[in-house]
Amino acid sequence: MFSDLSINDIKANLTGEMGREIFFYETVGSTNALAAEISEKTVEGTVVIADSQQSGRGRLGRTWVSPPGVNIYMSIIIKPAIPPDDATLLTLMTAIACATALRKATGLDVSIKWPNDLVVSDKKLGGILTELKIERKILSAVIGIGINVNADMDVFPEEVRGVATSLKNETGITYPRARIISEILNEMDIWYRTLKNSGGKKILSEWKLLTSTLGKQVMVTVGQETFRGVAESVDDKGMLVLRLDSGEPKRISAGDLTVLR
Ligand code: BTN
């Protein structure tokens, strides 16, 4: 069942420090929850991977559908020496790493929808959930990554089917998950080093090259409020700068974005 998800295969293709320590489970509640439990006792770059999740977590309190045998569910533990205010950069950095790795592995035109959705053909291929332990500074960050790899669309509930896709659904090819995980971990290594050595500027400029959101007419829901306008830019903290239909600029730190046609 896990022949395409061998830890030895993942490790054999690593080029950096991410993933030198891997904890693998057949099933867990959530890899993010498990990684958070061990985050203080483990070295930076430790990764928790599961073949399935019973209660996979998505952004904004949603459920992440996590069937066995087909997708990637992993959480990376890092201990970044950056101010809590800059934490969004960790998610943007991860989106860059995932989009780049998936492009390399599949040739698909994977892009990033603000803030952290991985999309292809306007459908969601994957998502990122960053959870932090903060005591004045960031003690640890758990970066959860979910990628739909070989899932057929009928494994998803009806409401997800119309908006989701998988690598296999796009290309007809079945991919070895281990290979894709190694690619992502290698790109994470590169982009985390970039963040540490050169700061957020390089992350933001690369993110802008990979996003399909900027310049588009969008609708963003933040709690009970909805804003419409043009997604003009992201600022140096990764906040979306929306030019409202009224002409006013509006900065948004988190929300649900829909591209309008
Ligand atoms: C999103 O809503 O777009 C973020 C989804 C993140 C899902 C991943 S799967 C591995 C990790 N463990 C979780 O419970 N969630 C993240």
Side-chain angles (χ1 to χ4, degrees):
M1 183 184 182
F2 313 125
S3 54
D4 73 314
L5 190 55
S6 132
I7 302 308
N8 288 342
D9 288 353
I10 295 172
K11 288 196 167 169
N13 290 301
L14 293 179
T15 53
E17 296 308 313
M18 293 281 174
R20 290 288 161 202
E21 177 96 72
I22 298 179
F23 293 92
F24 175 79
Y25 298 88
E26 180 173 339
T27 191
V28 293
S30 151
T31 57
N32 264 31
L34 214 147
E37 274 171 34
I38 62 169
S39 63
E40 265 139 293
K41 294 168 253 159
T42 51
V43 293
E44 179 161 80
T46 298
V47 176
V48 177
I49 299 173
D51 183 60
S52 69
Q53 298 185 115
Q54 304 299 320
S55 35
R57 313 207 278 236
R59 283 177 66 233
L60 309 171
R62 296 194 181 118
T63 298
W64 189 256
V65 181
S66 309
V70 284
N71 293 335
I72 292 171
Y73 318 109
M74 73 170 165
S75 300
I76 304 171
I77 298 165
I78 56 173
K79 306 185 180 186
I82 60 169
D85 252 18
D86 285 350
T88 304
L89 291 173
L90 300 174
T91 304
L92 301 189
M93 159 193 102
T94 307
I96 296 170
C98 291
T100 307
L102 294 174
R103 283 175 174 220
K104 281 187 185 169
T106 65
L108 285 168
D109 187 20
V110 178
S111 65
I112 305 167
K113 180 164 84 81
W114 183 87
N116 56 11
D117 284 358
L118 298 160
V119 297
V120 68
S121 326
D122 290 333
K123 294 201 166 166
K124 185 156 169 170
L125 193 58
I128 297 157
L129 177 67
T130 303
E131 296 180 298
L132 305 169
K133 275 192 193 153
I134 299 176
E135 267 176 29
R136 280 191 299 275
K137 62 181 190 122
I138 298 177
L139 297 180
S140 65
V142 168
I143 304 182
I145 300 171
I147 313 276
N148 301 330
V149 179
N150 296 319
D152 292 321
M153 290 305 98
D154 57 8
V155 302
F156 291 115
E158 189 91 23
E159 66 275 13
V160 174
R161 255 176 244 172
V163 291
T165 190
S166 70
L167 297 176
K168 183 181 166 204
N169 190 48
E170 293 298 316
T171 63
I173 297 169
T174 301
Y175 295 90
R177 285 175 289 171
R179 201 56 222 243
I180 292 178
I181 290 173
S182 309
E183 284 277 7
I184 293 173
L185 293 174
N186 292 341
E187 289 294 330
M188 279 294 283
D189 197 77
I190 293 169
W191 289 102
Y192 188 40
R193 269 172 217 278
T194 305
L195 178 64
K196 285 194 287 193
N197 298 337
S198 319
K201 263 209 164 97
K202 187 91 189 21
I203 300 294
L204 286 162
S205 62
E206 187 69 17
W207 187 91
K208 285 177 187 167
L209 291 177
L210 288 168
T211 188
S212 50
T213 301
L214 298 185
K216 300 265 171 68
Q217 186 75 31
V218 300
M219 183 174 89
V220 187
T221 306
V222 184
Q224 303 300 314
E225 284 187 289
T226 298
F227 303 96
R228 280 167 198 268
V230 174
E232 208 166 65
S233 186
V234 286
D235 70 8
D236 58 356
K237 301 283 182 214
M239 286 170 85
L240 180 70
V241 184
L242 192 64
R243 180 68 55 181
L244 298 176
D245 292 344
S246 64
E248 291 290 301
K250 167 97 192 153
R251 270 165 216 269
I252 301 177
S253 64
D256 226 0
L257 181 144
T258 309
V259 175
L260 304 171
R261 254 132 250 287

